[in-house]
């Protein structure tokens, strides 16, 4: 048996009503973490808080409705980081498409929410974790940051920046006994990819063909498969892991 030793730790999870963030929040709840869920939609947050709070572990679940594209909302979330042992950044909605498909406004907004949302919350969490000399920050990024996708310029750009950010901060944070890590998922079956598939429903569309016919294992990853690894990474069992971004894409980035 591997005891992750997460019982009683306090975790803040952004994007906690979405596919990956929700699966991570559920896993941490099952492991006994006290949770703060962050996303924009209050009814969805209430629903998930009730669901996760009813799990056998009985750990408390709080919510913060916040738009991470707005600095004033980030400041409200930052208050919850004062005592957090774990921060998971899984919020994001960067527009896909080639450069000319993406307006300047949409590109900036995607960079604000996922890029600066992650960076600003990392800064706040790290400030407190450094003072207490304990804590873990996990950023959910994306494998397009490693292998840029010309059909998704926005996500490739934000993800590349967050990989560099996570590696840079996580390489020095162990000096303060803080770990900073990332996960690069490939395609994961979440509401975000369901929307993408609908948008690419034309079988002659290269994106559709790529999405549905050439995936490792013949399928997308399940959110739970990202969550299991995330729980390990934020646990004491991964105590020597920092400054690294781990790819979970079944090797998809290497396939033509
Ligand atoms: N799914 C994939 O295949 C995949 C692959 C690689 C990387 N990723 C990355 O992993 C992250 C999560 O993806 P996902 O597939 O789980 O997405 P998802 O199912 O669409 O969930 C996104 C989450 O982020 C929240 N969110 C969106 N905009 C927000 C904002 N402005 N402020 C605060 N919260 C916001 C959403 O809730 P509200 O809308 O209520 O705010 C939701 O909880 C994203 O950064 C994505 O780029 C995903």
């Amino acid at each position: 048996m591997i005891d992750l030793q997460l019982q009683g730790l306090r975790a803040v999870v952004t994007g906690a009503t979405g596919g990956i963030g929700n699966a991570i929040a559920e896993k941490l709840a099952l492991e006994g973490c006290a949770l703060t869920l962050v996303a924009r939609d209050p009814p969805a947050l209430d629903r998930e808080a009730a669901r996760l709070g009813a799990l056998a572990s009985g750990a408390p679940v709080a919510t913060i409705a916040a738009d991470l594209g707005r600095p004033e909302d980030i400041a409200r979330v930052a208050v919850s980081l004062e005592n957090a042992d774990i921060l998971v950044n899984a919020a994001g909605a960067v527009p896909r498409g080639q450069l000319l498909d993406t307006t300047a406004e949409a590109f900036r907004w995607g960079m604000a929410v996922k890029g600066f949302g992650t960076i600003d919350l990392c800064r706040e969490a790290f400030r407190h974790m450094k003072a207490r000399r304990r804590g873990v920050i996990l950023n959910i990024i994306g494998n397009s940051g490693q292998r840029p996708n010309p059909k998704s310029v926005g996500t490739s750009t934000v993800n590349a920046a967050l990989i560099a950010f996570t590696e840079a901060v996580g390489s020095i944070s162990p000096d303060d006994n803080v770990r900073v890590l990332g996960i690069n998922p490939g395609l994961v079956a979440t509401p975000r990819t369901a929307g993408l598939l609908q948008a690419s429903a034309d079988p002659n569309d290269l994106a559709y063909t790529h999405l549905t016919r050439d995936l490792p294992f013949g399928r997308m990853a399940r959110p739970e498969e990202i969550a299991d690894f995330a729980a390990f990474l934020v646990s004491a069992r991964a105590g020597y892991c920092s400054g690294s971004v781990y790819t979970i894409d079944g090797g998809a980035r290497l396939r033509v």
Side-chain angles (χ1 to χ4, degrees):
M1 175 184 164
I2 297 181
D3 178 3
L4 295 180
Q5 301 171 23
L6 290 168
Q7 181 78 39
L9 298 186
R10 293 170 297 260
V12 176
V13 180
T14 76
T17 58
I20 296 173
N22 190 252
I24 294 173
E26 179 173 327
K27 181 72 183 170
L28 296 182
L30 287 168
E31 293 291 331
C33 288
L35 287 174
T36 300
L37 312 180
V38 180
R40 285 171 303 180
D41 183 21
L45 284 166
D46 290 347
R47 202 166 48 241
E48 286 310 313
R51 188 178 73 80
L52 299 182
L55 295 175
S57 57
V61 183
T63 64
I64 302 176
D67 185 336
L68 298 179
R70 297 161 54 104
E72 60 271 32
D73 284 18
I74 288 180
R76 285 194 296 111
V77 178
V79 174
S80 73
L81 295 171
E82 280 174 19
N83 294 309
D85 302 294
I86 297 164
L87 167 65
V88 178
N89 286 301
V94 184
R96 298 185 193 256
Q98 297 185 32
L99 181 61
L100 298 183
D101 300 332
T102 317
T103 65
E105 190 182 32
F107 207 127
R108 277 177 194 275
W109 182 248
M111 295 204 76
V113 172
K114 181 166 178 175
F116 288 110
T118 297
I119 289 167
D120 290 351
L121 290 181
C122 280
R123 184 185 297 105
E124 294 303 321
F126 183 62
R127 193 192 315 284
H128 298 300
M129 290 173 178
K130 177 181 164 90
R132 285 187 282 119
R133 289 195 59 78
R134 60 177 283 169
V136 187
I137 299 170
L138 176 65
N139 297 327
I140 305 302
I141 306 175
N143 69 354
S144 66
Q146 293 169 279
R147 187 171 189 272
N149 179 352
K151 289 179 173 288
S152 196
V153 175
T155 56
S156 301
T157 305
V158 176
N159 289 341
L162 288 179
I163 291 169
F165 173 81
T166 301
E167 290 181 344
V169 176
S171 66
I172 202 81
S173 66
D175 292 357
D176 297 298
N177 201 34
V178 176
R179 299 189 295 113
V180 182
L181 303 150
I183 290 178
N184 278 341
L187 280 172
V188 185
T190 72
R192 178 169 166 77
T193 42
L196 176 68
L197 277 172
Q198 277 160 20
S200 306
D202 177 359
N204 297 316
D205 181 339
L206 186 61
Y208 178 93
T209 309
H210 170 70
L211 280 173
T212 55
R213 292 192 197 156
D214 192 30
L215 289 175
F217 304 108
R219 62 171 176 84
M220 299 189 200
R222 301 183 191 96
E224 300 75 29
E225 290 171 317
I226 309 299
D228 282 340
F229 192 59
F232 167 74
L233 284 182
V234 301
S235 81
R237 297 293 183 181
Y240 204 71
C241 297
S242 189
S244 292
V245 178
Y246 301 90
T247 303
I248 309 180
D249 71 351
R253 75 199 175 286
L254 303 173
R255 295 158 79 117
V256 179

